[in-house]
Amino acid sequence: MIVRSLPEDEITKIIVEHACKDWIKISRTDIIIVGAGPSGMTAARYLAKKGFEVVLFERRLSFGGGIGGGGMLFHKVVLGEPADQILREVGCKLTPVGNGIYVADAAEMLAKLASGAIDAGAKVILGVSVDDVIFRENPLRVEGVSIQWSAVQIAGLHVDPMFVRSRAVIDATGHDAEVVTVASKKIPDVSITLMGEKSAYSELSEQLVVEKTGKVIEGLYVAGMAVAAVYGLPRMGPIFGSMLLSGRRVAEIVEKDLRER
Ligand code: 48F
């Protein structure tokens, strides 16, 4: 067997050339999603399936956000109907445990949500953190994000970020709602008050997170646990139905808004 290879400089050239081609496309896109947790990956899949250009930035070098840890590192997650439909669409196996509730394997769920988003056409960039937004006035709106290599942030180096423009930004960053938080502090005259997530009340929170998913200000949307942080909703622990349904709902809302514009 002959294993084909090539000189080191050729490897470098291929990587840089192809990455730069991608980045030129990424610099202006339809939709930016921040965070590759369950809500972000679900939103990415539905929006890419609808034909939008979707870029998903994830701070870590891995997918899944809180999925991989299951419940206290037990490798299972629980979810209720109708969120099971979303996992069935990506081929994730589910075990019914009664009353419309299912259990899924954490590793399988995160792998299939990720490949579902990528197969639908979403571009996922790992190791990049969003640290700010781009805004415009008259009318006030968010028009993209500021990005930095997570490694630069971790090293504490003083390196200017770069910017990516988009028609919509979805904050799917989880418990800290990082994008809405920075927008609330740094866009002049914006009136967003983050209420902060409350203690656990799973059944109530599963319902409310989906209901409150949507637009925060023009151009900026919130999904997943970030919804609880913005609107002061209770946490729910390792039950994931609302995360998936929130991802699907934000995709429907963004699609409608972009088609009407
Ligand atoms: O936290 P996370 O899984 O968000 P989610 O989709 O789901 C929450 C559940 O996992 C669980 C729960 C409900 O059952 O309580 O916690 O709301 O995923 C958020 C992802 O966003 C990334 C982070 O690394 C994680 O993978 N992230 C957070 N802030 C940034 C970011 C940022 N500023 N830039 C890029 N990625």
Side-chain angles (χ1 to χ4, degrees):
M1 182 177 65
I2 295 172
V3 178
R4 285 188 184 278
S5 188
L6 69 180
E8 291 80 353
D9 58 313
E10 292 295 329
I11 300 173
T12 304
K13 255 194 250 166
I14 291 169
I15 290 175
V16 172
E17 187 188 328
H18 285 259
C20 288
K21 260 191 210 154
D22 271 6
W23 275 102
I24 287 165
K25 276 184 84 181
I26 287 167
S27 64
R28 188 155 193 156
T29 188
D30 288 330
I31 299 150
I32 294 168
I33 300 176
V34 189
S39 63
M41 292 193 292
T42 302
R45 184 168 72 87
Y46 283 112
L47 285 163
K49 265 175 63 170
K50 293 284 180 181
F52 292 105
E53 281 188 351
V54 178
V55 176
L56 195 163
F57 292 117
E58 167 54 48
R59 163 177 291 157
R60 295 193 258 179
L61 294 178
S62 56
F63 295 105
I67 301 172
M72 214 184 82
L73 290 182
F74 288 99
H75 63 281
K76 298 285 178 185
V77 300
V78 168
L79 57 118
E81 289 172 351
D84 60 309
Q85 292 162 0
I86 295 170
L87 288 187
R88 287 182 209 286
E89 285 170 21
V90 293
C92 182
K93 291 186 285 302
L94 295 164
T95 305
V97 292
N99 295 324
I101 304 293
Y102 298 84
V103 64
D105 191 274
E108 181 180 0
M109 175 168 153
L110 75 83
K112 292 198 169 153
L113 285 175
S115 70
I118 292 166
D119 289 347
K123 174 64 74 181
V124 181
I125 304 289
L126 301 175
V128 168
S129 295
V130 167
D131 66 2
D132 206 343
V133 294
I134 302 170
F135 76 100
R136 293 290 182 269
E137 292 171 313
N138 306 317
L140 182 73
R141 62 199 186 278
V142 166
E143 279 209 350
V145 297
S146 156
I147 53 170
Q148 182 56 275
W149 303 118
S150 302
V152 167
Q153 285 193 338
I154 293 163
L157 298 175
H158 182 173
V159 178
D160 262 334
M162 294 209 294
F163 299 101
V164 176
R165 290 187 66 192
S166 66
R167 300 168 69 198
V169 174
I170 301 175
D171 182 341
T173 61
H175 297 264
D176 294 328
E178 290 194 24
V179 185
V180 180
T181 300
V182 75
S184 74
K185 289 184 184 150
K186 293 182 65 180
I187 301 180
D189 301 327
V190 77
S191 55
I192 309 170
T193 310
L194 278 94
M195 311 291 284
E197 183 186 293
K198 303 290 181 267
S199 294
Y201 188 165
S202 303
E203 290 119 306
L204 180 65
S205 191
E206 281 287 275
Q207 193 67 40
L208 292 182
V209 161
V210 183
E211 284 174 22
K212 294 277 192 186
T213 292
K215 182 154 66 183
V216 180
I217 56 171
E218 211 55 52
L220 177 60
Y221 299 79
V222 67
M225 276 319 281
V227 175
V230 172
Y231 296 107
L233 308 181
R235 61 192 299 192
M236 78 287 285
I239 178 158
F240 278 73
S242 64
M243 299 298 105
L244 303 171
L245 294 167
S246 172
R248 186 169 74 182
R249 177 146 176 71
V250 82
E252 288 162 2
I253 294 168
V254 168
E255 183 195 359
K256 184 167 173 287
D257 286 359
L258 294 194
R259 299 235 190 263
E260 278 171 7
R261 249 195 249 162

